[in-house]
Amino acid sequence: MLDSLPRRHLLGAAAATTLASLAAPLARAAEGWQTATLPLARQLDLKSTITGQHYRIFVAMPSGAAPAAGHPVLYALDGNATFPTLALMARSASVRSRMTGQTPPVIVGIGYAGDQPYSSARGRDYTPPTGKAGPATEGGADLFLDFIEKELKPLVATLAPLDPARQALYGHSYGGLCTLHALFTRPVMFQTYLAASPSIWYGERAVLAGMDGFAKRLAALPSKPSLMLAVGELEQPTTNGAALEGRQAIAARRRMVDEARELAERLQADPALARVRFHLLPHENHGSAMFPAMARGLEFFLA
C-alpha cells in the first residue's frame, strides 16, 4: 500500500501537466466554434398578405441541373422541425440518383420565425373549419393553403425550374390533418399528399366532411392524385379491458391508428385516387412517427 503512494502522486502530477498543456489549445479551439449550416440550403422570413402571419421558409436545392420538366418539389409543414431531416434525405437521393433512377427534389420547409421547432400559430394554419363558431386561433387552413398557392409557390418558382406535375405536400399531426384537408378540397393543388399521424379526430372529424363529392370532383380531373397515410402503432393505446386515465384515455378516444387505417381502407376501395398507401409504423409513438413517415413519404413521392 505504501509503495503505491509515490506512483499515484507521479500519475496525478503527469495528468495535471497534461491538462495544463492542453488548456491553451482547447481554449483556442473553443473560440473557433461556428453555427452549423445545411449545405445547399437557404432560408427567408416573410409576412403573408393573405394570413397576416410571419413565416420562415427553408429551401434545399439539388446540386445537379434541373431535368427537362423541372425539379419535383416537396412542401413540408412544420418546416423548423421537418426541413433538416428532409433536406438531408433529399441530398442522399441526389447522390444515389444514378443507381435508383429517382429525380432528386427541391425541399421547401414552411416554418415560423424563431428557433423553436413548433409554433402555436400552426393551430390556426393547419386546422380546417368545423362549421361551428370557434376561437380565432383555429380554423385557418383555407387561408393558409391560399398562401401556399398564391404567394409561396410563385416565390419558390423564381429559384429554379419546377415540375408542375410533380409536387407534394407533407404534414404530421395537425400538419397531416391540413394535408388531408388540402387533398379533399383542393385535389389539383398537389399530385402527392403525405399525411403522417393525421389528427382526423379534430372538430369531431370535420376534415372528413370534405369527402362529400370528393370522388365526383376527382372524376373530372385529367390525372388523379396519390395519398400516403402513416401512423405509429403506439399512438393508440390498447385497453385490454382496463380503464385508461389522463393522456392515455384521450389518446384512446382519438383512435389515431384506427382512424388512419379506416380512411386508407375507404380510399383504397374507391379507385378515384391514383395510389393509396398505408403504413403502420412499428414501435413508433406520435412524436417519433414523424421521422420514418418522412422517409416513407419521400420514397412514395419519388417512386
Side-chain angles (χ1 to χ4, degrees):
M1 184 71 177
L2 293 176
D3 291 341
S4 65
L5 288 176
R7 178 176 176 80
R8 288 183 188 173
H9 287 308
L10 288 173
L11 291 174
T17 302
T18 301
L19 290 175
S21 66
L22 291 175
L26 287 173
R28 288 193 298 271
E31 295 173 358
W33 287 97
Q34 301 177 13
T35 300
T37 58
L38 279 173
L40 305 176
R42 64 191 81 176
Q43 70 181 51
L44 173 71
D45 287 359
L46 60 86
K47 181 179 179 180
S48 168
T49 60
I50 296 175
T51 67
Q53 177 64 51
H54 289 86
Y55 297 101
R56 177 161 294 169
I57 306 302
F58 306 88
V59 178
M61 293 287 182
S63 57
H71 293 292
V73 54
L74 188 156
Y75 292 83
L77 306 186
D78 287 316
N80 303 66
T82 59
F83 175 76
T85 299
L86 280 167
L88 291 174
M89 287 179 179
R91 192 178 181 201
S92 176
S94 179
V95 171
R96 297 174 56 82
S97 60
R98 289 187 179 181
M99 181 182 302
T100 63
Q102 295 177 343
T103 304
V106 173
I107 302 295
V108 180
I110 309 172
Y112 298 90
D115 297 328
Q116 296 301 312
Y118 299 99
S119 167
S120 60
R122 70 194 295 272
R124 181 185 67 175
D125 284 344
Y126 298 170
T127 53
T130 63
K132 300 178 182 179
T137 54
E138 297 179 358
D142 287 321
L143 286 177
F144 176 68
L145 293 173
D146 284 343
F147 156 69
I148 295 176
E149 185 67 27
K150 298 176 182 179
E151 295 183 310
L152 182 57
K153 281 189 174 184
L155 175 64
V156 177
T158 66
L159 301 178
L162 304 178
D163 186 349
R166 295 193 68 191
Q167 302 202 10
L169 178 66
Y170 170 88
H172 170 261
S173 191
Y174 267 14
L177 173 70
C178 184
T179 299
L180 290 178
H181 179 64
L183 169 65
F184 296 148
T185 62
R186 309 183 188 207
V188 298
M189 189 171 176
F190 300 94
Q191 290 72 49
T192 305
Y193 295 80
L194 310 170
S197 305
S199 301
I200 297 173
W201 55 266
Y202 173 81
E204 298 179 3
R205 305 164 82 227
V207 68
L208 299 184
M211 294 186 69
D212 294 339
F214 179 55
K216 184 179 292 187
R217 289 194 296 274
L218 288 180
L221 300 180
S223 60
K224 309 298 188 287
S226 296
L227 169 68
M228 185 209 74
L229 278 162
V231 64
E233 71 167 346
L234 302 181
E235 296 192 50
Q236 181 176 322
T238 55
T239 62
N240 294 324
L244 299 177
E245 298 180 353
R247 289 181 177 272
Q248 289 289 89
I250 294 173
R253 288 195 300 270
R254 289 177 174 177
R255 302 177 68 248
M256 294 289 291
V257 173
D258 288 345
E259 291 283 9
R261 181 190 286 113
E262 289 166 7
L263 178 59
E265 291 173 351
R266 180 178 173 183
L267 293 171
Q268 286 168 343
D270 188 334
L273 291 172
R275 290 184 298 155
V276 178
R277 184 76 52 79
F278 173 74
H279 292 288
L280 182 63
L281 305 170
H283 315 301
E284 305 295 349
N285 57 44
H286 187 68
S288 65
M290 178 177 73
F291 298 99
M294 282 191 279
R296 302 291 189 279
L298 188 60
E299 180 68 25
F300 182 76
F301 174 47
L302 298 181

